[in-house]
Amino acid sequence: MTFTAPADPLGGGPPPSAEPRAPLRRTLALARPAAGRLTLATVLGGCAAAAAIGLLATSAWLISRASEQPPILTLTVAIVGVRFFGISRGVFRYGERVVGHDAALRLLADLRVSVYRRLERLAPAGLPAFRSGDLLARLVGDVDTMQDLLLRVVPAYAIALVVGAATVGLVTWLLPAAGAVLLAALLAAALAVPALTAALARRSEARQAPARGELAAAVVDLLQGAPDLVANGAVAAQRARVARLDDELTVVAAATSRNAGVGSGLTAVLGGAAVWGALAVGIPAVADGRLDGVALAVVVLTPLAAFELVAGLPMAAQSLERVRQAAARVFAVLDAPEPVVEPAVAAALPAAPDGHTMVVRGLRARYRDDAGWALDGVDLDLPPGRRVAVVGPSGAGKSTLAAVLLRFLPYAQGSVTLDGVELATLDGDTVRGVVGLAAQDAHVFDTTLEENLRLARRSATADELRAALAAARLLAWVDGLPEGLGTAVGEHGSRLSGGQRQRLALARVVLAGAPVLVLDEPAEHLDTTTADALTADLLDVTRGRTTLVITHRLTGLDQVDEVVVLDGGRVRERGTHADLVAGGGWYAEQWHRERETEEVAWARR
Ligand code: ADP
């Protein structure tokens, strides 16, 4: 199944003007591709329930009739019936589970993939709306919960309706009054009890999915932020927060169980009442000859089996609210507006045998329509082989510029062209095939050095891997490791130093071989010596390559062709390093401050 067609229930979300479809109806719409399997599972489940009732009714008749000690031949059909119902019940139940779970697991897999795809489109500009732990809870727990609608709720009601009606029909045929008693008891158990438990459960069930999301987010925060929390003595507070959220979830779970208990208890009481009711109307019927004595056992015992049909309904009704909440949370991810709208018909890039050119004119971009301009009239020229550094105070718009060039963020005004083609008319992946990014906090995966590198290019040869490592000045270190490229780097590269992590990210970009490089603060979070060594290597590797480097350190910028100083989204100064130092503006001041700090540091050594 595809999730990209606009008619698809998952794709793109509702148009802004349309009434958002109810989460439950959308979940059902999702099941359309598996409708055949789910129907088959429901039919098999219905057959299993019917066999269970048939088993009890036939056994009741058999035992009752056998007590009259008739010729054994008159019992043969009933004996065969008992065997048939006994064996077929198990077979039908098995079939129902296999077919139903197969359908549900396929749907789950499809749904997870579509959530992943959505995340890919939302990242990185659209994701800050969700916290990572909460996203994980949506992807795992909530998607799981959604399958309850298809596996438990809808089949349970369908089977109860059809098989229940048939059972009431059978009992009514034997004794209409007993049929009426059974119908009344089943209706009360199927409608009134679930309505009661659902009403009791509404508040706690509605809290369950958000509470689970909040707990997951808090635990992820606690684990990821452990070093900072320990350093600041804030572990106890964060642990207390996790404990509080856990308590809340426990309260919700306890309420769920309590309501389930109330539902089961009431259903059992109604089941007992149905049996007593059948006895109450059956005995006089036998006395005045309206009912055969043998059939009395059937009339009285069949309700016992029939109540299995409705025993699960209070839980099903209760989980409906949970499914609604979970589905709403999953659809919120699927419907989150894409930060960048891909063109309906993407333009093609012309061949660029002499290298790619990016030209930016009067660029204005912002994150929301009601926010101020993050970039306000920026011009930039990146012809083949040119290297430009973008510097400026924090919040100046440097990362925003990188996001626009990579088509992670749309631009509202002005133009950005790649080889003469407007960026907005190009597919995002086409742009990123040409423009490569080494991000500020490049993610290092918990696997080996080699796998982390190959992420950039699966098919790279051993020599190409080595060349990329050499370019990032990592080769000698890797060769010195006992396991070389097979060394595991730990979670988030925790077994690497900050500099090694960034160098690994650099090697990755080199290996990817994108013709235009955007390096966003590669030396951020590193001490000045490591930062300057890394910057020097970067400038070495990128010689002759079209590169935009964003940096907060000015050391080494004498090597780039142009330095652009951004401030408040506008270009304040631009020129070569020497021009800007001579110009006496922000850059010159920053440069002298950096030198002074360095000299103090030298003097201390
Ligand atoms: P720099 O990289 O120079 O530190 P940024 O480009 O990150 O600056 O930020 C420029 C402006 O855009 C800032 O005012 C910042 O608050 C805002 N901004 C950055 N990222 C986002 C975002 N994801 N959502 C909303 N505003 C943002």
Side-chain angles (χ1 to χ4, degrees):
M1 92 193 251
T2 59
F3 292 102
T4 43
D8 188 275
L10 282 173
S17 60
E19 182 77 359
R21 279 191 286 163
L24 291 180
R25 260 197 299 146
R26 282 183 74 185
T27 309
L28 284 180
L30 282 187
R32 218 174 291 140
R37 282 165 198 273
L38 288 170
T39 310
L40 178 61
T42 308
V43 169
L44 288 169
C47 289
I53 293 168
L55 179 65
L56 201 71
T58 327
S59 314
W61 186 88
L62 182 62
I63 294 168
S64 193
R65 180 80 180 101
S67 70
E68 296 174 346
Q69 300 189 329
I72 190 78
L73 270 179
T74 59
L75 301 178
T76 319
V77 174
I79 292 170
V80 171
V82 167
R83 281 196 192 139
F84 169 75
F85 288 130
I87 294 171
S88 66
R89 185 179 60 160
V91 174
F92 284 134
R93 185 69 68 207
Y94 176 78
E96 177 212 0
R97 292 284 144 91
V98 170
V99 178
H101 281 86
D102 177 53
L105 290 176
R106 281 166 198 250
L107 283 174
L108 277 189
D110 285 347
L111 187 56
R112 288 223 165 90
V113 168
S114 65
V115 176
Y116 272 125
R117 291 216 175 118
R118 193 73 196 160
L119 294 183
E120 191 196 340
R121 300 221 78 81
L122 291 178
L127 276 188
F130 303 100
R131 289 169 302 162
S132 63
D134 183 47
L135 261 184
L136 198 64
R138 288 175 202 239
L139 192 59
V140 180
D142 292 344
V143 171
D144 262 350
T145 303
M146 283 169 78
Q147 71 169 336
D148 281 356
L149 184 67
L150 310 173
L151 272 189
R152 300 195 216 296
V153 182
V154 175
Y157 272 97
I159 292 171
L161 187 68
V162 175
V163 183
T167 312
V168 169
L170 170 77
V171 176
T172 307
W173 173 63
L174 292 171
L175 182 67
V181 169
L182 179 59
L183 179 65
L186 280 178
L187 280 180
L191 301 177
V193 175
L196 178 70
T197 50
L200 286 175
R202 190 150 297 135
R203 266 235 326 268
S204 59
E205 292 295 333
R207 260 315 283 157
Q208 192 165 102
R212 212 166 39 194
E214 279 166 31
L215 177 63
V219 170
V220 168
D221 266 356
L222 176 65
L223 295 177
Q224 284 187 346
D228 293 310
L229 292 171
V230 171
N232 292 298
V235 176
Q238 180 69 8
R239 273 193 13 212
R241 188 162 161 257
V242 169
R244 204 176 56 246
L245 290 169
D246 187 50
D247 286 347
E248 192 190 342
L249 204 56
T250 310
V251 170
V252 170
T256 303
S257 309
R258 207 169 38 241
N259 293 329
V262 170
S264 305
L266 285 177
T267 309
V269 168
L270 283 169
V275 172
W276 280 105
L279 271 176
V281 296
I283 292 171
V286 173
D288 58 26
R290 277 180 292 131
L291 185 68
D292 179 28
V294 172
L296 177 65
V298 179
V299 166
V300 171
L301 292 179
T302 305
L304 270 187
F307 259 75
E308 276 188 27
L309 290 172
V310 292
L313 296 186
M315 276 299 276
Q318 201 175 335
S319 67
L320 212 55
E321 189 57 33
R322 189 167 45 208
V323 173
R324 192 201 314 276
Q325 288 295 326
R329 283 159 49 82
V330 171
F331 288 126
V333 176
L334 293 173
D335 294 343
E338 277 186 25
V340 179
V341 181
E342 296 288 352
V345 182
L349 268 186
D354 302 325
H356 298 273
T357 303
M358 287 196 102
V359 177
V360 177
R361 288 290 175 266
L363 172 63
R364 288 182 118 185
R366 58 183 162 193
Y367 287 87
R368 284 188 321 273
D369 288 346
D370 55 352
W373 295 110
L375 289 174
D376 187 6
V378 174
D379 296 337
L380 194 73
D381 283 283
L382 269 179
R386 186 179 173 91
R387 293 191 298 174
V388 175
V390 177
V391 299
S394 163
K398 304 184 294 292
S399 297
T400 307
L401 179 61
V404 169
L405 295 187
L406 279 138
R407 210 154 146 45
F408 283 149
L409 192 73
Y411 46 100
Q413 291 173 23
S415 101
V416 182
T417 58
L418 177 59
D419 300 328
V421 184
E422 196 64 43
L423 220 58
T425 64
L426 286 167
D427 197 70
D429 288 340
T430 309
V431 174
R432 290 185 286 273
V434 176
V435 187
L437 170 75
Q440 211 170 85
D441 288 309
H443 191 81
V444 177
F445 291 85
D446 184 8
T447 173
T448 60
L449 284 170
E450 176 165 352
E451 284 300 313
N452 265 295
L453 270 179
R454 282 194 185 277
L455 208 68
R457 190 145 56 89
R458 276 269 118 215
S459 58
T461 63
D463 284 344
E464 285 166 338
L465 292 182
R466 291 180 69 77
L469 286 170
R473 303 287 188 273
L474 269 181
L475 189 58
W477 170 72
V478 171
D479 281 343
L481 291 170
E483 292 176 67
L485 270 174
T487 306
V489 296
E491 201 175 356
H492 298 297
S494 57
R495 283 181 223 144
L496 307 180
S497 73
Q500 285 163 344
R501 261 201 300 275
Q502 283 309 126
R503 280 171 195 276
L504 188 59
L506 172 61
R508 206 145 71 182
V509 182
V510 172
L511 191 66
V516 179
L517 282 180
V518 175
L519 310 172
D520 186 1
E521 293 274 13
E524 176 96 327
H525 311 309
L526 300 180
D527 62 84
T528 49
T529 321
T530 319
D532 289 348
L534 182 71
T535 309
D537 288 344
L538 269 175
L539 293 170
D540 218 26
V541 179
T542 55
R543 195 167 310 229
R545 277 186 192 236
T546 318
T547 308
L548 183 91
V549 56
I550 294 169
T551 169
H552 66 288
R553 299 266 308 156
L554 311 184
T555 309
L557 295 193
D558 49 340
Q559 296 195 40
V560 301
D561 301 297
E562 185 187 28
V563 179
V564 176
V565 180
L566 279 186
D567 188 11
R570 290 167 176 270
V571 177
R572 289 289 170 216
E573 299 165 36
R574 69 191 316 154
T576 62
H577 169 79
D579 291 345
L580 292 180
V581 173
W586 179 90
Y587 188 90
E589 197 181 308
Q590 195 70 12
W591 170 251
H592 290 305
R593 196 173 305 150
E594 206 172 292
R595 292 279 68 75
E596 273 167 32
T597 325
E598 217 109 296
E599 276 156 23
V600 173
W602 268 109
R604 285 216 183 112
R605 268 181 218 167

